[in-house]
Amino acid sequence: MLVVLPPSETKATGGRGPALDLDALSFPALNPVRHELVDEVVALAEDVPGSRAALGVSERQDDEIGRNASLWTSPTAPALRRYTGVLYDALDARSLTTAARRRIAVCSALFGLVMGTDPIPAYRLSSGSTLPGRGGLRTVWRPVLGPVLAGLDDHVVDLRSGGYAALAPAAGATTLDVVSEAPDGSRTTVSHANKSFKGHAARLLASTRRRPKDTAGVLAVLADAGLRVERADATSLVLVVPR
């Protein structure tokens, strides 16, 4: 089983790893697109107003553009340490075993798909970014990322948010939505807090000694951990939390 997470807009600074080496990343079939995008983002960083427009950042976030300028030379850190925020706080990757961390991948606008242990620099590029001279990143990634996702040997649990799921489908993957239930039984979709719940679910799935090969197996792992999970269809699960 492989748990695929979305990245985070916020990223830890620094790192102890050497400069970016695309050959050190998993899924080498993605390297040609990775190289093109890194080069484009580095070049774009020379145009600060253009970078703000393309990346959707304000003047207060010009340090993000500075990070992009040094993508080829800045230090790296494992992806699960690079990404921060609500989901990654709940995941608490530092306390996971090495085996558990190797069961997690991250879908990235800049690198396509990386394993949680892959070394990457801090950067700013989102699924909704539009680089000059290109359409949306979906048109860039789908032709190469789609086959990589389709060729994975393990059953995929796709916890990506909508923008990152749109970069390329993961056919047959198990998905998980989060809804809150009121005492009267009415339900609403959980928005921001769903990141925390998905981070917790990812931690449970990465840590289990089982090897689920389908959605039923994923449901069993989560349910046995005390979560209230329902099956929506053949590959979709719903996590129900109290309002």
Side-chain angles (χ1 to χ4, degrees):
M1 176 180 59
L2 182 68
V3 181
V4 179
L5 300 178
S8 62
E9 294 288 0
T10 57
K11 299 171 185 70
T13 59
R16 298 182 178 180
L20 176 63
D21 177 5
L22 296 182
D23 290 333
L25 304 183
S26 304
F27 315 111
L30 303 179
N31 280 351
V33 174
R34 289 166 171 163
H35 202 293
E36 288 181 12
L37 290 179
V38 172
D39 277 348
E40 289 181 24
V41 169
V42 170
L44 180 62
E46 297 180 5
D47 176 5
V48 174
S51 288
R52 291 176 189 151
L55 304 176
V57 299
S58 67
E59 293 182 14
R60 297 179 181 179
Q61 297 169 295
D62 280 353
D63 59 325
E64 302 271 14
I65 300 172
R67 287 181 175 184
N68 283 355
S70 59
L71 277 173
W72 286 119
T73 58
S74 58
T76 57
L80 290 182
R81 294 189 182 181
R82 180 64 69 199
Y83 297 111
T84 61
V86 175
L87 187 153
Y88 288 89
D89 287 345
L91 178 66
D92 190 15
R94 288 181 179 273
S95 66
L96 291 174
T97 65
T98 299
R101 290 195 292 270
R102 288 175 177 166
R103 299 176 79 180
I104 302 173
V106 182
C107 183
S108 160
L110 186 59
F111 300 112
L113 188 70
V114 294
M115 293 301 295
T117 53
D118 285 354
I120 60 172
Y123 67 92
R124 180 65 180 238
L125 189 71
S126 304
S127 62
S129 299
T130 302
L131 297 175
R134 288 190 181 270
L137 292 174
R138 174 180 174 180
T139 61
V140 178
W141 278 119
R142 180 163 288 213
V144 292
L145 181 56
V148 167
L149 289 168
L152 294 172
D153 293 330
D154 298 316
H155 180 66
V156 173
V157 180
D158 188 356
L159 300 184
R160 294 178 293 173
S161 51
Y164 289 95
L167 293 181
T174 296
T175 60
L176 179 70
D177 292 319
V178 185
V179 300
S180 63
E181 185 176 83
D184 65 3
S186 61
R187 293 180 174 182
T188 57
T189 300
V190 174
S191 55
H192 181 69
N194 96 92
K195 294 180 181 179
S196 178
F197 292 116
K198 285 189 174 181
H200 179 57
R203 180 179 179 84
L204 291 172
L205 292 169
S207 300
T208 183
R209 294 183 178 180
R210 302 183 198 177
R211 297 293 182 267
K213 296 182 179 180
D214 53 27
T215 299
V218 174
L219 188 155
V221 170
L222 297 176
D224 288 350
L227 300 185
R228 183 182 170 192
V229 184
E230 300 174 355
R231 195 158 186 168
D233 59 36
T235 59
S236 302
L237 300 177
V238 176
L239 171 60
V240 184
V241 298
R243 188 179 307 172

